[in-house]
């Protein structure tokens, strides 16, 4: 299994549920999904990494690029990452200071709450 | 254990699985260290694939994995254009907006952080990355 991206619209956000491994092979799939959301004008995209088994620096790079792309379109990106092994990779790259890593999709505040 | 792998991203998962399983056979290997090993191997092989793609070289990548008592040594060799590992630029601070302009540049620092020893030998005919990881976490 590589990477599948499932789109799940919820209230004021779109949740992209990632399943598989986020590496050089999976990166284009995620990049493509985020480009589509930004082009469609989605303001708040949530990346749900709960079912991601593995992430490396290439995968982290795509998450960073997703944030840049959405902010360019006045949007925002939230990341759900409950798995300690994955969180550690974010932390080792100091990216836990760029992203708030939420424990579940329900923990992600809405745009209204963060405004 | 030696693997000759096509220089394609689709094979990364297989390399991680085989190297991880090889390390997991060592009774002394901490499971967290096996996870570290899978990560550094992914970084090294991804860099090798990208390096060869940058110059249109389709040669396979060589991956060697040698468990030895309380440590494991992994070697990844490519036929890319080579690079100066000492001149990998620092990324902008994470507090700055400029940091978001950089999607790459973390792989070498991750390898150095997780491996007990990381040696890069690079020249115009390719690069060999040799990573040594002890069986216990750093």
């Amino acid at each position: 299994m590589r990477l599948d991206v499932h789109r799940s619209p919820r209230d004021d956000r779109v949740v992209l549920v990632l399943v598989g491994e986020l590496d050089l092979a999976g990166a284009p799939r995620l990049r493509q999904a985020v480009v589509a959301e930004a082009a469609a004008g989605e303001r708040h995209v949530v990346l749900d990494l709960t079912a991601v088994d593995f992430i490396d620096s290439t995968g982290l790079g795509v998450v960073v690029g997703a944030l840049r792309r959405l902010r360019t379109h006045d949007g925002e990106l939230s990341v759900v990452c409950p798995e300690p092994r994955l969180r550690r990779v974010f932390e080792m790259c100091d990216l836990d200071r760029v992203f708030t890593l939420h424990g579940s999709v329900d923990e992600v505040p809405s745009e209204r709450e963060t405004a | 254990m030696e693997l000759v792998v096509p220089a394609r991203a689709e094979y990364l998962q297989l390399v991680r699985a085989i190297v991880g399983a090889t390390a997991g056979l060592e009774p002394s290997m901490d499971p967290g260290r096996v996870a570290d090993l899978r990560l550094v191997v992914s970084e090294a092989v991804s860099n090798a694939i990208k390096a060869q793609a940058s110059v249109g070289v389709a040669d396979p990548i060589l991956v060697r994995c040698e468990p030895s008592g309380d440590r494991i040594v992994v070697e990844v060799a490519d036929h890319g254009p080579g690079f100066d590992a000492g001149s990998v630029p620092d990324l902008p601070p994470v507090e700055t907006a400029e940091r978001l302009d950089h999607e790459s540049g973390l792989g070498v620092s991750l390898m150095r952080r997780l491996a007990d020893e990381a040696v890069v030998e690079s020249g115009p005919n390719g690069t060999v990355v040799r990573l040594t990881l002890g069986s216990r976490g750093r």
Side-chain angles (χ1 to χ4, degrees):
Chain A
M1 177 174 59
R2 292 207 290 273
L3 186 76
D4 287 323
V5 181
H6 303 282
R7 185 177 191 273
S8 173
R10 288 194 186 192
D11 300 327
D12 63 343
R13 66 192 73 170
V14 168
V15 182
L16 297 178
V17 181
L18 277 53
V19 181
E21 307 206 340
L22 186 44
D23 59 7
L24 188 63
R29 182 78 188 84
L30 174 58
R31 193 177 289 117
Q32 190 179 35
V34 172
V35 166
E37 298 303 336
E42 291 296 343
R43 294 285 304 273
H44 189 184
V45 174
V46 178
L47 286 189
D48 183 358
L49 306 183
T50 305
V52 170
D53 302 319
F54 177 86
I55 191 167
D56 62 12
S57 71
T58 306
L60 289 179
V62 180
V63 178
V64 168
L67 176 61
R68 183 189 67 242
R69 188 176 298 276
L70 287 161
R71 283 189 177 166
T72 303
H73 291 78
D74 294 324
E76 194 50 66
L77 180 77
S78 299
V79 178
V80 173
C81 183
E83 170 58 48
R85 203 171 58 238
L86 260 61
R87 293 174 82 104
R88 180 169 174 252
V89 185
F90 276 88
E91 290 160 7
M92 283 189 294
C93 297
D94 286 335
L95 291 175
D96 58 321
R97 293 160 63 193
V98 175
F99 301 98
T100 300
L101 301 175
H102 301 280
S104 71
V105 172
D106 291 335
E107 284 180 20
V108 177
S110 69
E111 270 202 310
R112 284 187 299 277
E113 290 169 315
T114 55
Chain B
M1 189 276 296
E2 188 170 300
L3 288 173
V4 179
V5 191
R8 287 166 43 193
E10 297 92 319
Y11 285 86
L12 273 171
Q13 188 181 29
L14 183 65
V15 173
R16 287 195 297 267
I18 293 174
V19 170
T22 303
L25 291 174
E26 294 297 307
S28 64
M29 204 72 183
D30 184 277
R33 245 1 218 161
V34 175
D36 290 345
L37 180 67
R38 282 164 42 85
L39 180 54
V40 296
V41 164
S42 194
E43 299 296 345
V45 177
S46 295
N47 284 347
I49 292 170
K50 288 187 268 192
Q52 288 198 177
S54 71
V55 288
V57 173
D59 293 355
I61 309 286
L62 182 66
V63 181
R64 286 200 188 94
C65 177
E66 300 292 341
S68 170
D70 62 349
R71 61 185 49 227
I72 191 160
V73 180
V74 177
E75 200 171 274
V76 176
D78 68 55
H79 293 104
F83 75 109
D84 180 1
S87 69
V88 176
D90 290 334
L91 292 171
V94 290
E95 299 83 5
T96 64
E98 289 73 27
R99 174 65 186 83
L100 300 184
D101 294 332
H102 298 264
E103 291 190 26
S104 61
L106 291 169
V108 172
S109 66
L110 261 182
M111 285 190 274
R112 287 191 167 135
R113 179 164 181 161
L114 288 173
D116 294 288
E117 187 181 25
V119 178
V120 179
E121 295 169 359
S122 196
N125 297 318
T127 298
V128 178
V129 176
R130 191 174 301 108
L131 302 159
T132 304
L133 277 79
S135 57
R136 302 288 170 205
R138 297 192 77 193

